[in-house]
């Protein structure tokens, strides 16, 4: 049973605070192991990567066979059904269209003092994308990571995907091909992250690494951060649905379960202004759990971390949503637009009963890599900007330096940074001579 | 003596690679101490913060006197000279004008399928800014961190600045006042970071923490990352000057020294297409080092990490600059605009001989918090975006879901995520019934 809360109860605040603070994930401490793997790859390069792949993935490779050849990629792609291929292509087209609008503009202007100022955006030169192997090897994640990188203009995009016992997911290779990925390596774990960050004989180093992974991958990403850029370290997935009584309880139940089925640590929350509707949704969840393929996982998540919260009105729902700062927020209410304007801390918002969250996972267009664990308070989903950086530009004319230079000199002196002040003063003196 | 390299020498590549790989900073490992401090502040709140402040800053405070009162701030601000006040106000005006142009735009559009898509930017609700005490207590850094936050729309901005033995820098308080900072606490170290991240009885928690600090502060920021957002962990400062022979060697020497005087670990590099000019600059550095106040620091930096590199032409200079990815890049050449277009990996570019880097530290307008240690390959200087986050929006009409829903269902099934597919299918079935 999930917990049932009523926001008008006197002890609601305590229960809600407990829900916010609940620790849903116990990451094993693999930091020492990962440190050793990274040092080994830095020291021995390909030899270390190949040994570790033989050990962890039971797969004997060479520096040559570590990378999928174009012919192999074609062979695997040919195994994908026409329906799946068409779905991936539609998804890629829609994701590309959405992300193309994120390309930022350069600016340059000259101000009153005569200073020309501005900035210029440029792409990261090379990026690496980690794709988990096995069950969590999602082709949709390949699209969601690779397309923003290519839209940003990343010239070289490499994927690492482990293939334990040699098992390959053809859809992952097709997604990589559709997204325009340049290199695909069949290696995984901390050794793949180390190879991407530091390079080996066979794998050139990259500047930025993104993509989800297990505890070893996450620990390796944290360790190489600084040497390369990384995306966020994602936690278990979450959804908050705000729904009024004019919804089909079964639809809402399926939306809650589509988070719950990801992971036993996932969290599905419902806020409604109608207690009877909340109970109807919970009953619909139980009914669906009788037959759902992943009922063991989804059932555990719903039992341990699910909640149904009844509120007095939708104002209160928005206020609670902002405290939760959910990764996914579904607004199944009569006027979702106006409610969405009140929900300012959320990774992605899905408006109206015909926008199930699953649309956003695959084909809506926005990215499905989103901030978890309340981090939507301060961070955003993956975007084109994650694969670009901004260089600021400033150019003074002699007159501009004459107008503002003395103030810089004054502040430099107040900070006891004499050379800073002198570098301005030397030029000002020349102007005064002229 | 700095090293002198010639890019046409056969062993240049080895020497240059060594320069890129040089480790300039040895951070003491204070992680265990910091973990203990954070745990103590989480557990005991104000009591722990006050005890640690008494111990490290030799300052007895109470929960009330921990925060500067408005009257105290006014008293300290009154001590600032008119010239310094005017310089700070000019700097603030120019920094605000520059950063206001960074405010990103929301977007919303309806595509061919009938899906309404877009995103909305919003400000982080509360931010904390760390300001070091003592010699490195720079009012310019207060402006550079606080103004972007306030331009972003951060409603609550708190500063922590330690005041060892009770010594306060009035310019820091004036800069905070000018920038519109809401709360100023006289606490520092890992205890201040912990208080900002987790809150105490007297200090409400924030969502994002920025600002430089010593090894304890840096370690604490790394540890609270995830609970709150943080900015980059800055390394020692760097400058690369690309200059042709038509420059005053003394000006270039002062620009190199204005980085070197920051820190013995700072790095100042000159690339020139004229070997004699390079020697003249080195001679000018030596001459200035005879009298510079901070000659011990600047001299050590120049001796240990400085370099003068002669290249065949400016094309080669741009190529080397992109490998260095400098924090600060000064282009003192005849056509700085066209050279700047070739320098794609740099935090900030200063164009022309009348734009010494020190202008950017104080008053140019762009931010002086910039990526160090080659991280300009993948990251940008501090900006308004660091205090905002983006929520993606998607709304399907029944017709839009009818057009694209089946593809989402197909991909969900291929990833064995049944509830995802069912959440779409249940709606599609309703449409087909209708």
């Amino acid at each position: 049973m999930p917990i049932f809360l009523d926001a008008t109860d006197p002890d609601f605040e305590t229960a809600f605070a407990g829900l916010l603070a609940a620790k849903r994930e116990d990451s094993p401490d693999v930091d020492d192991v990962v440190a050793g793997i990274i040092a080994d790859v830095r020291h021995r390069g390909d030899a270390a990567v190949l040994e570790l792949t033989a050990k962890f993935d039971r797969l004997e490779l060479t520096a040559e066979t570590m990378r999928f050849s174009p012919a192999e990629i074609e062979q695997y792609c040919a195994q994908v059904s026409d329906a799946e291929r068409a779905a991936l292509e539609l998804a890629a087209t829609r994701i590309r269209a959405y992300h193309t609008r994120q390309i930022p503009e350069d600016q340059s202007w000259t101000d009153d003092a005569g200073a020309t100022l501005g900035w210029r955006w440029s792409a990261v030169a090379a990026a690496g994308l980690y794709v988990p192997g096995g069950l969590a090897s999602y082709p949709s994640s390949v699209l969601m990571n690779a397309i923003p990188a290519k839209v940003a203009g990343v010239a070289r995009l490499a994927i690492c995907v482990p293939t334990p016992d040699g098992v390959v997911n053809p859809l992952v290779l097709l997604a990589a091909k559709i997204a325009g990925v340049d290199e695909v390596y069949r290696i995984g774990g901390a050794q793949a992250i180390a190879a991407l960050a530091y390079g080996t004989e066979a794998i050139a180093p990259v500047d930025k690494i993104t993509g989800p992974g297990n505890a070893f991958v996450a620990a390796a990403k944290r360790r190489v951060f600084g040497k390369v850029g990384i995306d966020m370290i994602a936690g278990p997935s979450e959804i908050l649905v705000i729904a009024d009584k004019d919804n089909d309880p079964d639809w809402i139940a399926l939306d809650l379960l589509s988070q719950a089925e990801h992971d036993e640590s996932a969290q599905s929350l419902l806020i409604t202004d109608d207690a009877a509707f909340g109970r109807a949704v919970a009953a619909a969840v139980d009914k669906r759990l009788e037959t759902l393929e992943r009922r063991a996982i989804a059932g555990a998540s719903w039992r341990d971390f699910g909640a149904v919260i009844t509120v007095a009105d939708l104002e209160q729902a928005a206020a609670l949503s902002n405290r939760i700062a959910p990764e996914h927020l579904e607004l199944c209410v009569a006027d979702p637009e106006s409610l969405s304007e009140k929900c300012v801390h959320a990774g992605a918002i899905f408006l109206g009963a015909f926008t199930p969250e699953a649309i956003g996972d695959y084909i809506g267009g926005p990215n499905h890599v989103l901030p978890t664990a309340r981090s939507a308070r301060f961070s955003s989903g993956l975007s084109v900007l994650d694969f670009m950086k901004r260089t600021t530009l400033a150019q003074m004319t002699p007159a501009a330096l004459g107008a503002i230079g003395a103030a810089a000199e004054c502040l430099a002196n107040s900070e006891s940074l004499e050379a800073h002040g002198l570098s301005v003063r030397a030029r000002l003196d020349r102007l005064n001579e002229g």
Side-chain angles (χ1 to χ4, degrees), chain A residues 5 17 31 40 44 56 66 90 96 99 158 186 204 226 235 243 256 266 305 308 330 344-345 375 383 407 412 424:
Chain A
L5 301 177
D31 207 43
D40 193 21
R44 296 196 299 133
F56 293 122
M66 200 156 53
L90 179 61
R96 195 175 292 117
H99 287 79
R186 56 187 120 207
L256 295 169
F305 302 113
V308 176
E330 225 181 86
V344 289
H345 307 309
S375 63
S383 81
V424 177

Side-chain angles (χ1 to χ4, degrees), chain A residues 152-174:
Chain A
V154 172
R156 175 177 164 250
L157 179 57
I159 281 188
C160 287
V161 53
T163 57
D165 301 307
V167 176
V168 177
N169 182 346
L171 280 156
V172 163
L173 291 178
L174 180 57

Side-chain angles (χ1 to χ4, degrees), chain A residues 110-117 394-408 424 428 431:
Chain A
T110 302
D111 68 15
D112 292 347
T116 300
L117 303 173
Q395 179 162 27
M396 303 293 135
T397 56
L401 192 71
I404 67 172
V424 177
L428 292 178
L431 292 178

